[in-house]
Amino acid sequence: MLTFSQTNYTLKGYVLNTNNVPVSGALLASKQLSTTSLSDGSFILSGFKNGSYEVTITHKNYKEQHVNVRFNGASTSITVALDAANTELETVTLYSKSEEREAHESPISTVKVSEDFMNLNRENSLMQTLSKIPGVSTINIGSGQSKPLIRGLGFNRVSVVQNGVKHEAQQWGNDHGLEIDQYGIEQIRIIKGAASLLYGSDAIAGVIDIEAPKIPMENTLSGAVNLLAENNNDLFGISAGLQERKANWYYRTRLTYRDYGDYKVPTDRISYESYIFELHENHLRNTAGREANAAFSLGYVGTNFKTETFFSNVNAKNGFFANAHGLEVRTSTIDYDSNDRDIDLPYHKVNHFKIVNNTTVYQGAHTLNFELGFQNNHREEHSEPVPHGYMPKPDDSQERVFYKNTWSFNARDAFKPNEKHQLVFGLNTEYQNNNIGGWGFLIPEYNRFTIGAFAFDHFDISEKLHFQGGLRYDFGVVKTKSHFDKFQSTVNNADGSTSYIYLQRALNKTLNFNSLSGSVGLSYVTPKTTYKINLGKSFRIPLANELASDGVNYHMYRFERGNLDLDPEKSYQLDMDVDFVSKKFDFGVSPFINWFENFIYLNPTSNYYETLQIYEYTQSKVFRLGGELRLGYHLLKHLRLDGSLEYVYSRQTTGPKKHFTIPFSPPLSGIISANYQFNKNLFFFKNPQFSANFRLTANQDDIVPPEEKTEGYNVLNLSFNSGFKLLNAKKLAQFRFKLNNVFNTQYFNHTSFYRLIDVPEAGRNLSVSLTIPF
């Protein structure tokens, strides 16, 4: 600690933006004195004497500001609000600066998604909300679950990171969503492209990084209640959050509950395997669900130290469309149409518990970050018990159970030896233990351990030109455990005799994997235009289901078989980005070229097991290219037009599906949107805003069997957002009205789970939400 005589004074306070969000990394300088703001926007600048001083505040993403401060026998404090230097596109802002290297330009193009964007575009799941971002799409599982695709790649090829720790559940399955509460999220960073350097295996396609919320300001208490109602599935949701900070200690807490019924589709019948299923009042039977989430965190902020521990639990029960679970439903005695809010068989229950600690230590030129996490994912899949092949009728409905425990530890040192270089050294390690239960076998129990170390340098060649390059080495071990059927199967021997044996479905097997990856890139920044180019190599360790599955997946009505000889996926990707911003017009283009040495996918074969077609995991070389285009124009002072376009081309160059694309390849798609900000209040509505977006999607004729072609579609969505004063509250409440699929268009999403059985997307949906801050 520094001590001062009575003639030395201190200037302290906060640096915020115009939305009252804390700004970290802002440089405050006056004569020979300088400091930077912390993550909560706070700063302390000491050494002033009596007199007047000009303090200059600078930050890469904000306009420079000058503040005059006078000291007359005492210290003083100020709060500074910075104006953004970037132009926002529907509250999605493109940043060149990485979080780990503030005030330096990064060649990795990222998209920052703000809390405002989340609030204005909120859908039934977090990933459906993010699908408004060019290059991001989803695999939807009904109305309440989804998982992300980035440029046509999904499942475990996209890392979802929350509070610094990779989210680990059972996301390998087509029908497995992500257990994350989308309320209370302030900011998300999306990386599109090779990201294994920082995040390791599973970041081969990109990253959805849900960043930790900003630290509350000193001596504040705040919160909000979010209410949501939708008419398509009669949804009701409520989420309430509260945070408080005294001097150094603070806490946050949030509770969320959602309850919804079967959602409606714009058709009265579904055709599956040449069988027609009639729908009662257009309801997609048994797609109701309930979700109850709780979160709490406790944090401490010191002079050179900060730490926060997050606790969260997500619990959900969701029904699966009954007719998607094989054809046995034709003989079921369950009356699925008696109640559109009950959850009958088949359904799943999932509980995801998570503890994460984030700690940062500032030591001179070093910033040390540590992230420690534990996750427990308990998933149960229930279906109506029926005999299959030699398996007798089960005694209960518990088809599959997964118990997955994950321990994670990350360490990182950001070291700035001089003004030109910033070095970052890091270590990631993770251990998983997955146990199984239930009468239906698909994947074995397994343990998985991974460890990786990386280093990179960010070098400012000049004020405009920046270089970044780094290397990473990873080692991983996957141990699968032996598994035998609980019932005997009949086997015909070569000598004509018959044996009755317990078939072995999995082996005790230990597999080792290792890989060297890295990236190099350049960025060139001018006042209006940013140019970026980055070349990276990424990799992905095969999952347990890809290596050792051997059973019936009744959700997909097929037999799936793994391959213990699979190699890690290796991907090489060249990314480019040009971003131009002016007062009235902005433009961006982000092309990419991608090459897989050994892409892993599930290939249908001509063989059958007990009347079910056998699908086997195999590998092939794959070439991909595509990108995103975005435009924005202020047509009038209060009217802004935006457009975006995304396209992905994929082709297998070897293997049994040579010359075909890869599964779940999204079609050419674009969004045209108009946003009108009223220049005066309307009745009791404050700062009202009206938006319309029109999504245009082309035919998807480029498919890989057994996929079917998908017709193109056009869908119009409308929204109205405004603040208003509720009673005598000091803060404005926010009212949002949305009408999705205005014309009740029947269309099919090519990347939807239910597209495989010709189920269209949800029909017209009116949603009303209200946020009441305090």
Side-chain angles (χ1 to χ4, degrees), residues 706-724:
E707 286 184 336
E708 295 182 1
K709 296 180 179 181
T710 304
E711 293 185 0
Y713 60 88
N714 303 318
V715 176
L716 176 66
N717 304 311
L718 303 175
S719 66
F720 175 82
N721 312 283
S722 178
F724 69 96

Side-chain angles (χ1 to χ4, degrees), residues 649-754:
Y649 169 86
S650 303
R651 191 63 66 226
Q652 298 185 50
T653 62
T654 63
K657 291 296 188 295
K658 185 178 180 180
H659 304 310
F660 284 98
T661 184
I662 59 176
F664 288 105
S665 292
L668 173 68
S669 179
I671 297 178
I672 300 173
S673 63
N675 183 79
Y676 186 82
Q677 178 71 59
F678 291 83
N679 60 357
K680 59 182 180 180
N681 298 331
L682 290 177
F683 305 107
F684 54 86
F685 291 117
K686 311 293 184 182
N687 304 314
Q689 182 183 78
F690 177 79
S691 301
N693 71 74
F694 189 63
R695 178 176 285 275
L696 304 92
T697 303
N699 296 340
Q700 182 52 292
D701 298 324
D702 190 14
I703 60 170
V704 55
E707 286 184 336
E708 295 182 1
K709 296 180 179 181
T710 304
E711 293 185 0
Y713 60 88
N714 303 318
V715 176
L716 176 66
N717 304 311
L718 303 175
S719 66
F720 175 82
N721 312 283
S722 178
F724 69 96
K725 194 165 185 178
L726 188 64
L727 302 178
N728 295 320
K730 295 181 180 180
K731 298 181 179 179
L732 291 178
Q734 295 295 319
F735 170 80
R736 303 176 189 92
F737 168 95
K738 284 203 314 176
L739 185 61
N740 285 351
N741 195 359
V742 174
F743 299 111
N744 201 36
T745 303
Q746 179 179 317
Y747 69 99
F748 296 88
N749 180 358
H750 188 74
T751 62
S752 170
F753 169 64
Y754 285 151

Side-chain angles (χ1 to χ4, degrees), residues 42-79:
S42 65
F43 68 88
I44 299 177
L45 188 57
S46 302
F48 292 97
K49 299 183 182 299
N50 283 326
S52 296
Y53 296 83
E54 182 180 78
V55 180
T56 301
I57 304 96
T58 57
H59 191 284
K60 287 286 185 181
N61 293 332
Y62 297 90
K63 297 177 182 178
E64 183 177 297
Q65 191 170 141
H66 303 271
V67 177
N68 292 317
V69 181
R70 180 173 180 81
F71 295 90
N72 187 15
S75 297
T76 188
S77 62
I78 60 173
T79 298

Side-chain angles (χ1 to χ4, degrees), residues 22 35 74 80 85 94 107 135 160 165 213 281 283 352 402 427 432 505 553 651 654 708 710 717 723 764 773:
T35 188
V80 181
L94 297 180
V160 178
V165 170
E281 296 180 350
H283 285 286
H352 194 94
F402 303 101
L427 175 75
Q432 296 177 14
R505 297 294 186 183
N553 187 342
R651 191 63 66 226
T654 63
E708 295 182 1
T710 304
N717 304 311
R764 183 185 298 111

Side-chain angles (χ1 to χ4, degrees), residues 98-154:
S98 71
E99 291 295 314
E100 295 81 11
R101 302 169 303 280
E102 286 188 351
H104 291 275
E105 298 299 325
S106 168
I108 301 174
S109 220
T110 63
V111 177
K112 289 270 188 169
V113 183
S114 69
E115 186 177 17
D116 287 341
F117 176 88
M118 295 285 296
N119 289 332
L120 295 176
N121 296 276
R122 196 180 307 281
E123 298 294 342
N124 280 321
S125 70
L126 173 62
M127 298 311 158
Q128 289 171 350
T129 300
L130 296 181
S131 65
K132 308 289 179 65
I133 309 283
V136 180
S137 53
T138 62
I139 297 176
N140 297 327
I141 309 103
S143 62
Q145 305 174 79
S146 63
K147 62 181 62 184
L149 294 171
I150 295 182
R151 290 171 168 172
L153 298 178

Side-chain angles (χ1 to χ4, degrees), residues 582-602:
S582 66
K583 187 175 181 180
K584 295 192 67 174
F585 174 74
D586 50 79
F587 163 84
V589 60
S590 304
F592 74 91
I593 300 175
N594 179 215
W595 169 256
F596 275 89
E597 279 189 6
N598 40 19
F599 183 84
I600 300 173
Y601 69 101
L602 193 59

Side-chain angles (χ1 to χ4, degrees), residues 597-628:
E597 279 189 6
N598 40 19
F599 183 84
I600 300 173
Y601 69 101
L602 193 59
N603 179 54
T605 71
S606 58
N607 300 319
Y608 284 79
Y609 178 88
E610 296 177 359
T611 73
L612 293 174
Q613 188 177 12
I614 296 176
Y615 284 59
E616 293 181 343
Y617 282 98
T618 188
Q619 293 185 290
S620 66
K621 298 182 185 298
V622 172
F623 173 75
R624 304 170 65 248
L625 61 83
E628 301 83 44

